[in-house]
Amino acid sequence: MTRIVTIIFIILGVMSASGRTPIQGCIEVDSTAMTAFVRHHNPNFDPAIAQAFQEVGEIYGIRGDIALCQAIIETGWFRFDNGTAVEASQHNYCGMGVTQRGNQGCSFESIREGVTALIQHLYAYCCDDDLPDGEEIVDPRYRYVARGCAPCWEDLTGRWAMNEQYAHNILRQFKSLKRHSRIPGSDR
């Protein structure tokens, strides 16, 4: 039954009937528009990151465009400054493994592996399905998640981060991304 619900969310890519925003679903904003949005705030942003969010998100049925917005918050627009605990070379786009001040967190070999770890962590939170065929666990914290405890972005508040506005901030960033993607010439 869970697989059927997942497929419905992926096909529709819409908010649930309760007005909450499922973590699973199809993107609304492609990697080109994601890149333009981030480059508006960080001209040095690598478009391969946005491409990985789109591609890996599609493999897992996770909203890669909203996951990118989560990473924007976690990395300070992918600048990795102003208090972020990880460095760009770690390819850690969500502060994974930073469990206390001064802890550097997890490191990943590549952009793709770092994005996959974040997407897998979201996958663990939102469902209890097996990994997609051919995928191996790269998220070192995957086993610590109570599988399926957070099917919607709003459910991450108090679980992923203690900030009471965590999910609201992610979804507000996503609204900005959608607005920016509709601006003529914003893909330049």
Side-chain angles (χ1 to χ4, degrees), residues 9-165:
F9 279 138
I10 291 170
I11 291 170
L12 296 178
V14 296
M15 290 177 66
S16 69
S18 66
R20 294 159 40 88
T21 312
I23 292 172
Q24 293 182 297
C26 296
I27 63 168
E28 292 180 32
V29 180
D30 69 14
S31 64
T32 301
M34 288 187 251
T35 296
F37 179 64
V38 178
R39 282 190 168 173
H40 184 74
H41 300 275
N42 175 2
N44 298 317
F45 176 70
D46 186 343
I49 298 170
Q51 186 67 37
F53 272 95
Q54 179 173 336
E55 291 172 359
V56 177
E58 287 173 356
I59 291 168
Y60 285 84
I62 299 292
R63 297 286 311 271
D65 47 3
I66 302 178
L68 177 100
C69 292
Q70 178 184 23
I72 287 169
I73 291 167
E74 294 282 354
T75 65
W77 292 98
F78 297 91
R79 288 189 185 108
F80 299 91
D81 59 8
N82 293 328
T84 59
V86 297
E87 299 173 6
S89 62
Q90 290 178 263
H91 304 293
N92 182 341
Y93 304 112
C94 64
M96 186 175 291
V98 178
T99 55
Q100 61 187 8
R101 186 177 288 288
N103 184 334
Q104 281 255 220
C106 302
S107 292
F108 302 98
E109 294 293 319
S110 65
I111 290 169
R112 179 92 176 193
E113 184 176 284
V115 170
T116 300
L118 187 159
I119 295 291
Q120 284 181 350
H121 212 61
L122 288 167
Y123 190 78
Y125 270 99
C126 74
C127 73
D128 61 1
D129 295 343
D130 293 336
L131 290 181
D133 289 342
E135 292 295 301
E136 300 286 328
I137 294 176
V138 298
D139 168 9
R141 301 198 50 83
Y142 189 84
R143 68 178 179 260
Y144 301 121
V145 177
R147 299 294 311 279
C149 69
C152 295
W153 290 95
E154 293 84 353
D155 300 323
L156 295 178
T157 297
R159 287 187 172 95
W160 191 295
M162 293 300 113
N163 177 342
E164 292 181 13
Q165 295 296 308

